């Protein structure tokens, strides 16, 4: 039988995986996107891999169209709106406009490894405290967790 700690960790892990992705980020010259709108290089836009974009009968009405994502690279964060599908992207990888790429890295790099998630998605951090205790911290994003405060709140009496 699975312990309570293991069950909670498994659920938290599953929840965090549902909202966090990692993969390559490249840039492209936008035009008419799969969501049915025209965009230009200065727009803050993103094309998702087929695995994240989905296979709607009418790609112009895909559920992801218009959603915002937060992209993280090298301690920087950029936000982009989903407007397109990147057929050549592997699952988790994204293709962004040059203006988004430049917010995170030099265009000379061409391809960088990033993490990203839908803006406003909660990030779940878990820590096994031992003796059947688990610390779960939910945050809007990695940077909004006050880890010093969380360590104090989750401390055992012996640690204070």
């Amino acid at each position: 039988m699975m312990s309570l700690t293991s069950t909670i960790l498994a659920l938290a892990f599953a929840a965090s995986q549902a909202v966090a992705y990692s993969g390559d980020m490249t840039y492209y010259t936008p035009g008419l996107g799969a969501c049915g709108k025209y965009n230009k290089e200065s727009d803050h836009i993103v094309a998702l891999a087929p695995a994240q974009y989905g296979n709607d009968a009418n790609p112009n009405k895909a559920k992801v169209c218009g959603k915002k994502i937060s992209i993280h690279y090298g301690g920087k964060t950029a936000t982009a709106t989903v407007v397109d599908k990147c057929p050549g992207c592997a699952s988790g990888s994204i293709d962004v406009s040059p203006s988004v790429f430049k917010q995170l890295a030099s265009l000379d790099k061409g391809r960088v490894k990033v993490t990203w998630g839908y803006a406003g998605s909660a990030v779940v951090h878990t820590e096994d405290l031992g003796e059947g205790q688990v610390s779960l911290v939910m945050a809007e994003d990695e940077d909004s967790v006050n880890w010093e405060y969380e360590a104090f709140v989750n401390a055992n009496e012996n640690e204070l």
Side-chain angles (χ1 to χ4, degrees):
M1 185 151 124
M2 193 181 252
S3 72
L4 178 60
T5 300
S6 297
T7 303
I8 291 173
L9 285 172
L11 289 171
F13 180 76
S16 68
Q17 293 304 300
V19 296
Y21 300 93
S22 64
D24 290 342
M25 178 180 72
T26 53
Y27 65 92
Y28 72 112
T29 303
L32 177 61
C35 292
K37 305 236 186 279
Y38 284 93
N39 293 282
K40 53 191 181 297
E41 291 187 19
S42 60
D43 293 333
H44 293 252
I45 58 166
V46 61
L48 300 183
Q52 285 74 50
Y53 190 88
N55 293 312
D56 295 271
N58 180 351
N60 293 327
K61 297 186 188 261
K63 292 178 179 133
V64 295
C65 289
K67 287 192 176 189
K68 294 198 180 297
I69 69 167
S70 294
I71 308 161
H72 309 282
Y73 173 75
K76 298 177 185 175
T77 300
T79 303
T81 302
V82 177
V83 299
D84 208 351
K85 184 177 193 175
C86 176
C89 289
S91 181
S93 292
I94 55 177
D95 211 4
V96 298
S97 61
S99 63
V100 172
F101 199 97
K102 286 191 274 189
Q103 283 187 294
L104 300 170
S106 166
L107 292 179
D108 296 342
K109 290 197 181 254
R111 178 182 302 267
V112 295
K113 296 281 186 198
V114 297
T115 58
W116 65 272
Y118 292 98
S121 298
V123 175
V124 179
H125 299 277
T126 62
E127 181 182 356
D128 187 348
L129 301 174
E131 298 179 23
Q133 295 183 354
V134 177
S135 168
L136 297 176
V137 179
M138 292 189 75
E140 286 300 309
D141 58 47
E142 184 77 25
D143 298 328
S144 65
V145 177
N146 181 334
W147 291 108
E148 193 172 316
Y149 173 77
E150 290 303 325
F152 174 77
V153 169
N154 294 313
N156 293 326
E157 277 183 42
N158 304 354
E159 298 174 320
L160 298 175

